[in-house]
Amino acid sequence: MSQQFEDAYRRSLEDPAGYWGDLAEAIDWTKRWDRVLDDDRPPFYRWFEGAETNTCWNAVDRHVDNGRGEQRALIWDSPITGKQRILTYNDLKNEVSTFAGVLRKHGVEKGDRVLIYMPAVPEAVIGMLACARIGAIHSVVFGGFAAAEVAKRLDDATPKVLLTASCGIEPGRIIPYMPILNQAFEIAAHVPSSVVVLAREEQTAELKPGRDHDWDEEAAGANPVDWVPVLATDPLYILYTSGTTGKPKGVIRDNGGHAVAMHWSMKGVYDLDPGDCWWAASDIGWVVGHSYIVYAPLIHGNTTIMFEGKPVGTPDAGVFWRVIAEHGVKALFTAPTAFRAIKKEDPKGEFLSKYDLSKMDTLFLAGERADPDTIQWAERMLDKPVIDHWWQTETGWAMAANCLGLGRFPVKYGSPTKPTPGYDIDILDDAGHAVPDGEIGAICVKLPLPPSGLPTLWNNDEGYIESYMADFPGYYKTGDAGMYDEDGYIYIMSRTDDLINTAGHRLSTGAMEEVLSRHQDVAECAVIGVADQLKGQVPVGFMVLKAGVNREHDAIVKEVVQMVRDDIGAVASFRQATVVNRLPKTRSGKILRKTMRQIADGEDFPMPATIDDPVILDEIAQALKPLGYAG
Ligand code: COA
Ligand code: AMP
């Protein structure tokens, strides 16, 4: 047992104001808080009420002022283009303050929104920090989302300005962004007044005069601007994440609580010291990218790596080891799927022997369930500790982890160890009672969430209450199901809703069903996530056709696959669908998606008591077999 951890954890629950108030001393404030925690209006909590700070100042300027100006702040390593770029904290300050001038020139003021739709290039980080510098709220949209998804975010966030690049680059293909955005502007009711476009050598873009502006030309003519104080409780960003319907949820992150939690986590969870080189192999379109490519390492004074490539194929399964060796990475954070991809290509780890990984201490995994096979393979290959940890867009940092900065617990495969300081986690049954150890229930966090936890959803207090607070009063419902063991280790087993996790990406099957049901021949449909060796889960669609439709099923399947790609994006990985006569339902008409998934995964399952007609389950199994499931 780690006494240091136990003491910290206990204090964080018994005296949250004292605990987080002390940790907040590591952040620079222009005005101290009136209260550490404003809990007057549950379930709306606000950390560091009355305080003023600036996240960009904490992430950039203060390191320059404190002698880190020449330290590497951001290393861009892009095997997909064969390019690299290193920005020191001095460079970052210059670039960010100049680009903040560009935003100002385009009328962006404190509280205005800026949408960022960019590949993994340094300018995306510069854009995010420039927003933070002037108190504007950024909303980054992952480049794998299609026009309709961009349009939903435009309408909800109503940004004044949009930042983009001429293209993204995926293995074997270039993705021009402007056509996607032009299409999004046609769909959306709200269109930003200015678009600033980074021209990439690989493919440039045609700019629309008056609306679109060239990034470099704008930056060349801009006046650098200083950071402005904002309230700790002002929003830093909105990050949209999948909900159970097609409408994404706009998770808000504040400035003050977020900065405190980010700073703390770099030592507390990851055991890094300022100056250490750190790599989160994710994308800035996801929360992992926001927190651990950008904010946490920079606020803490680390060197952060931004990687534009894939774990395999850019050029080979040794690229992760090359990056670690070349830049002196002390800890790597990625999703298990990346390691499954490497393991598939290079099961014996032959690339490893070519690189010196002596500076690396630890591998951290999150984003999806870390299967014991993958963890053990990584441990064997790297001969380093492999640490699973569990978190969500809504929290911005780990809810459960082996907090290495507070002493280490023995690893138990399949468990991300214990709740982290600030997270008072109970496993509840449907009636809201705690279940005994070893039994699975809904994983819920007693309110308030610690700093960085979402204060609400953008323009949607009701959605915040309905999605997270209504089912278990006094708790935040994570949407995950799991259990504790007798040693207090937590296990994350599955979702309690219709979200799936594909290659570490959180996706809504409900959103895919909405697309399928728009097909002219489809009467009703269901999309479920089935187990996949590489991506963890992939979606599979079931369609019941309208009476009288006698077209080839293959043609209809091809059309719906294309529709999901066009409407949601390639990232949905929706490649498989099948036509069935009926869907299994309860007598009250609810589709039995969980049972369908269990059939697909070949699991034993209890016959649902309320099933309307059990024979349909055989039909579902028969339909799944040609797709390689239900074996
Ligand atoms: N822009 C445009 N398209 C993108 C994209 C982006 N930023 N990211 C992914 N896509 C596309 C891919 O090209 C692919 O298209 P395809 O259907 O034409 O092949 C599709 O979206 C699905 O992408 P993905 O699920 O990532 O599969 P993949 O086969 O390209 O790669 C892995 C598989 C495992 C190598 C990859 O998912 C990976 O590196 N994962 C690392 C984990 C990670 O970053 N997780 C994020 C949360 S921590
Ligand atoms: P996102 O909000 O995109 O980060 O996705 C969060 C979801 O990913 C969680 O609610 C879990 O379902 C899943 N997840 C993240 N980390 C883990 C983990 N370590 N183990 C199991 N599931 C995880």
Side-chain angles (χ1 to χ4, degrees), residues 1-14:
M1 187 174 98
S2 157
Q3 196 56 48
Q4 202 188 347
F5 173 85
E6 298 293 350
D7 292 346
Y9 186 71
R10 191 174 321 106
R11 180 165 182 233
S12 76
L13 300 193
E14 288 171 0

Side-chain angles (χ1 to χ4, degrees), residues 142-144 170 173 175 310-311 337 503-504 535 565 570-571 573 575:
F142 178 61
E170 284 292 290
R173 72 195 156 105
I175 300 158
K310 302 268 172 178
T337 189
K535 296 193 178 186
R565 202 176 167 90
V571 67
S573 292
R575 297 204 173 105

